[in-house]
Amino acid sequence: MASADMSPEAEIPQSNWYQPRLAMKAMAKLMEDPEDTAQVFRIIRAMSGPSRQKSFKRFIKSPVGRRVMATRQELATVLNDRDALRAMPDGSLGRAYLEFVERENLSADGLKQANVEGGRWTLTKDQELYSNRTRDMHDLWHVTTGYGRDGLGELSLLAFSFAQLGNIGIAMIIYFGTRGGVRESGDKRLWKAVWEGFRNGRRATWWAGEDWEGLLHAPLEDVRKQLGVVRPDTYRKVFADHLAAAQAQAPAQAA
């Protein structure tokens, strides 16, 4: 059973059991402060059940998984080398990723810090390497899918991730986040956009096992075709409508 101490030093034992009390406690904090990313990791860990071990076993049987386990290469090390990313061709995934993180003032280390604040799991070195890798893919997935970092974009990407990884904790965040968004905006199309994200995740290849280091050098549009990306038209429409409404309200409020 996991400790109730959720300080950065707390360790959460590897377990196939779901821990809904811990998840709901973290969910309440996340609803109070949607920017508290540490709570996201706590929810995901508490409700992983057997999904994490299942995806880990699948990964280590893949060609990329065997290479990563042999070389011990951390994806974050590659993503943090901004000089190397800047030297990649125009239109490549690597350049698009660099533009994204610089525009949004992000880094792979930011996800790492939120992960640490969310508490540590007791993992083997191989499991930790895989866990870190899936964590550090998040912003690459933003760029590749076309989902932004707005609230609906994050929820839609989480739906994509749930389809890929099957973690019940991700589904919980999607449900409570979308329900809150619909209540606030009155726009039920948010559910449709999130469902689109889930469908697109089911249609794509299995991204946890893809060679992201190699894909960084390839043209972004070629990467999208190779990985089975479907354009998120519903998300784009809803996001554009909400943006237009917000811009229309701004002059009125200023007056």
Side-chain angles (χ1 to χ4, degrees):
M1 181 176 295
S3 169
D5 174 15
M6 296 303 291
S7 66
E9 292 77 23
E11 290 192 355
I12 305 173
Q14 174 85 5
S15 173
N16 286 337
W17 294 98
Y18 297 109
Q19 300 168 310
R21 288 186 179 181
L22 288 176
M24 291 307 298
K25 182 179 179 180
M27 183 68 69
K29 292 181 179 179
L30 182 62
M31 293 299 99
E32 291 176 2
D33 180 9
E35 298 299 319
D36 188 355
T37 309
Q39 304 304 331
V40 172
F41 286 106
R42 289 173 180 168
I43 295 165
I44 290 173
R45 286 171 173 172
M47 297 302 293
S48 285
S51 64
R52 181 179 293 269
Q53 186 66 4
K54 180 179 178 181
S55 61
F56 169 70
K57 289 180 178 179
R58 181 178 180 182
F59 177 72
I60 60 176
K61 292 179 181 178
S62 69
V64 172
R66 289 193 292 269
R67 186 203 75 207
V68 169
M69 292 300 151
T71 62
R72 316 307 295 176
Q73 183 179 46
E74 291 275 1
L75 181 58
T77 302
V78 177
L79 297 179
N80 281 328
D81 189 347
R82 298 199 171 184
D83 289 338
L85 293 173
R86 211 177 309 278
M88 291 181 183
D90 289 339
S92 65
L93 172 59
R95 285 287 290 275
Y97 171 81
L98 178 63
E99 292 167 8
F100 177 82
V101 295
E102 290 187 335
R103 182 176 67 248
E104 300 290 341
N105 193 26
L106 300 170
S107 74
D109 288 339
L111 286 173
K112 179 180 179 180
Q113 181 59 33
N115 191 8
V116 170
E117 291 172 359
R120 298 194 310 274
W121 240 331
T122 303
L123 302 172
T124 68
K125 293 296 184 182
D126 287 352
Q127 290 168 341
E128 184 177 16
L129 186 60
Y130 170 68
S131 180
N132 291 347
R133 186 176 180 83
T134 55
R135 175 197 68 205
D136 298 332
M137 290 176 191
H138 180 77
D139 290 329
L140 278 173
W141 290 21
H142 266 296
V143 175
T144 308
T145 58
Y147 288 119
R149 292 191 68 243
D150 57 287
L152 182 57
E154 291 288 2
L155 289 169
S156 298
L157 183 60
L158 283 175
F160 185 101
S161 302
F162 175 58
Q164 289 271 315
L165 302 173
N167 187 299
I168 298 299
I170 298 176
M172 287 179 62
I173 297 168
I174 296 164
Y175 172 74
F176 284 102
T178 308
R179 187 181 69 169
V182 170
R183 285 180 175 176
E184 182 178 345
S185 67
D187 190 348
K188 294 182 178 179
R189 293 179 302 166
L190 270 61
W191 291 111
K192 185 177 180 182
V194 167
W195 177 244
E196 175 186 63
F198 177 79
R199 289 201 321 269
N200 289 352
R202 291 289 297 270
R203 293 170 179 170
T205 61
W206 191 57
W207 287 15
E210 293 290 350
D211 178 15
W212 291 100
E213 292 87 348
L215 291 170
L216 286 169
H217 300 267
L220 176 56
E221 291 308 314
D222 289 353
V223 172
R224 287 172 169 164
K225 291 178 183 178
Q226 180 178 331
L227 303 191
V229 174
V230 179
R231 195 172 70 174
D233 290 329
T234 301
Y235 160 72
R236 289 185 175 187
K237 171 62 176 171
V238 176
F239 174 75
D241 289 350
H242 285 208
L243 181 61
Q247 291 173 340
Q249 286 180 348
Q253 291 174 349

